[in-house]
Amino acid sequence: MGKIKTIEYFRVLPRWLFVKITDEHDNHGWGEATLEGHSQAVEGCLDAMIQRFVGYEADNIEHLWQTAHRHSFYRGGPVLMSALAGIDIALWDLLSRRLGLPLHVLLGGVVRHKIKVYSWIGGDRPRDVEAAAKERYAQGFRAVKMNATEDVDWLDSPKALETSVERCRIVKALGMDVGLDFHGRLHKPMAKQLAKALEPHRPLFIEEPLLSEHYEGIKQLSSLTTIPIALGERLYSRWDVKRFLNDTSIDILQPDISHCGGISEIRRIATMAEAYDVALAPHCPLGPIALAACMQIAMCTPNFAIQEMGLTIHYNTEAGEYDIKNYIVDKGVWDVRDGYVEGLKGVGLGIEVDEEEVRKVAKTANAWAPKGFVGPDGSIREW
């Protein structure tokens, strides 16, 4: 046992927010509180949590989680839950490091020794998908994901969807599985058409076919297509998730470990999903600490299906040289072979953070700004 001595956070390129917790015996752990485009808001929340939780027992992770969530009165949401996630992940890392064990051992041990993964192709405005998919195949991936469309109006020409079907067909012809991320960009009139047009090409899943707030529309869409429906990155707790499980409107749940309260909450969400025969495929186009935490969950979760990896995702390459192999000592942990990454075997999260690089980059890193689309008439479109 040891009381929390310090909680620090570090904004680093390309768009990540890391958290380090040290106890009074100098044991430490790392977490990730990345909320893309909203780092300053999460940092403000972390400042308040630092004042509150320095001096708490570092081992009492659940008590701290409950205190942060229930004593805040205004609960949930992306900012509070991302800040809490960074702290929660760091505390689990600290505890398992102090005990000299991989984190998954504390969560019940392994149910698989390697993790199926996929990565991104195509960018925000998907293009050059054939060359990008071939590159991913050469890197070891056997599944990819891409944005289904560019920006689309509430009611657009059906021609706006034709290239989406063609891109799916091209990637499938290479022998790869492909998920199509609607990204909440489409509204119901267009989403219904695109799902029907894609169905003969059998994508791995369609993701966020509508924004998560349109739960009634997602339920309707689920009755119109046989394609598995995935969503969850904009659901921040088990309470946000339960409506979709009760509606039986989704097949794959994609909570983000850095948005939904960390390891403690994603474990509860996964168990709820298992009871409804829903698979877990965590959202994670984020940094190496969040990815390592997801890998620990994958290793001990029966209904885990596949893990997103942000390796050279367009958000990273746009920022320059920083990617998921930065900020860690052993860069080989993310090597992909025939569609899988080997389970992490080291203590804690299974990675060693290069603290020198973190502190160096954090001195000058600017916050990543949210993106957006505007239609030809000047109106806002979903991004």
Side-chain angles (χ1 to χ4, degrees):
M1 300 287 283
K3 297 183 184 299
I4 295 173
K5 182 173 69 174
T6 60
I7 303 173
E8 304 171 88
Y9 58 81
F10 305 91
R11 184 196 303 170
V12 297
L13 297 173
R15 55 175 190 163
W16 303 330
L17 187 63
F18 296 162
V19 176
K20 182 186 180 185
I21 296 181
T22 306
D23 72 10
E24 61 187 337
H25 305 300
D26 290 328
N27 300 300
H28 73 274
W30 287 90
E32 186 167 341
T34 300
L35 182 62
E36 310 94 287
H38 301 282
S39 288
Q40 299 100 318
V42 178
E43 289 165 12
C45 192
L46 283 168
D47 285 334
M49 289 184 175
I50 288 168
Q51 292 183 10
R52 190 174 195 178
F53 293 125
V54 167
Y56 267 56
E57 286 290 342
D59 286 1
N60 293 341
I61 301 171
E62 185 62 26
H63 179 65
L64 187 149
W65 198 100
Q66 294 288 335
T67 301
H69 184 68
R70 296 168 65 188
H71 280 185
S72 64
F73 188 77
Y74 297 102
R75 302 176 182 179
V79 175
L80 286 169
M81 296 304 281
S82 295
L84 178 53
I87 290 175
D88 181 83
I89 295 167
L91 288 173
W92 278 107
D93 187 38
L94 189 157
L95 175 60
S96 48
R97 283 179 174 277
R98 184 175 66 77
L99 296 174
L101 295 170
L103 176 53
H104 58 260
V105 173
L106 301 187
L107 301 177
V110 299
V111 297
R112 60 182 53 81
H113 65 275
K114 61 182 182 179
I115 297 99
K116 186 182 291 186
V117 293
Y118 70 86
S119 193
W120 268 85
I121 60 171
D124 282 327
R125 295 186 180 276
R127 61 195 181 279
D128 302 328
V129 298
E130 183 173 10
K134 288 178 178 178
E135 182 179 352
R136 291 301 191 199
Y137 193 94
Q139 291 171 336
F141 291 98
R142 299 297 177 262
V144 293
K145 183 170 78 177
M146 59 184 170
N147 280 312
T149 66
E150 299 188 25
D151 55 304
V152 178
D153 208 349
W154 286 76
L155 178 63
D156 218 321
S157 169
K159 291 182 179 180
L161 307 178
E162 291 175 357
T163 56
S164 304
V165 177
E166 178 63 11
R167 284 190 293 269
C168 180
R169 186 197 65 77
I170 287 171
V171 176
K172 290 281 290 187
L174 298 174
M176 300 187 78
D177 282 317
V178 57
L180 276 295
D181 190 353
F182 286 35
H183 216 248
R185 291 176 178 177
L186 278 73
H187 298 275
K188 190 163 62 170
M190 304 306 293
K192 291 192 294 184
Q193 293 180 65
L194 184 53
K196 184 175 180 62
L198 287 169
E199 196 164 81
H201 301 280
R202 301 173 64 193
L204 192 62
F205 55 79
I206 54 175
E207 179 174 334
E208 282 195 318
L210 299 171
L211 289 168
S212 297
E213 53 258 42
H214 300 310
Y215 55 86
E216 69 292 332
I218 292 169
K219 181 173 177 60
Q220 180 191 21
L221 188 62
S222 72
S223 68
L224 300 176
T225 183
T226 61
I227 303 172
I229 292 177
L231 59 77
E233 69 191 79
R234 287 185 264 199
L235 304 176
Y236 311 112
S237 71
R238 71 199 99 145
W239 296 280
D240 291 345
V241 163
K242 68 178 181 178
R243 175 185 289 275
F244 294 94
L245 297 177
N246 285 332
D247 281 351
T248 65
S249 59
I250 61 172
D251 306 287
I252 304 159
L253 195 55
Q254 298 172 306
D256 188 306
I257 203 164
S258 287
H259 299 165
C260 74
I263 289 166
S264 296
E265 186 69 353
I266 203 171
R267 282 279 284 174
R268 292 185 278 256
I269 290 170
T271 300
M272 287 175 62
E274 183 184 10
Y276 286 85
D277 197 29
V278 170
L280 187 79
H283 177 262
C284 192
L286 306 180
I289 299 174
L291 181 57
C294 286
M295 294 297 193
Q296 295 295 329
I297 293 297
M299 292 176 72
C300 63
T301 301
N303 55 321
F304 168 83
I306 194 168
Q307 178 60 53
E308 179 176 23
M309 288 181 70
L311 183 67
T312 63
I313 190 174
H314 48 286
Y315 304 119
N316 299 354
T317 57
E318 289 167 3
E321 61 184 281
Y322 293 97
D323 199 38
I324 61 170
K325 293 191 176 184
N326 287 94
Y327 309 116
I328 58 174
V329 175
D330 181 5
K331 304 178 189 312
V333 295
W334 304 140
D335 289 347
V336 183
R337 296 180 181 86
D338 200 25
Y340 290 84
V341 169
E342 286 297 320
L344 301 175
K345 298 178 175 61
V347 298
L349 291 173
I351 58 171
E352 294 296 329
V353 172
D354 184 343
E355 186 169 342
E356 182 179 353
E357 184 180 20
V358 170
R359 291 186 181 275
K360 178 183 176 182
V361 175
K363 289 179 181 178
T364 57
N366 294 318
W368 186 80
K371 297 188 177 186
F373 288 142
V374 177
D377 61 354
S379 64
I380 296 296
R381 292 185 174 184
E382 299 295 346
W383 174 71

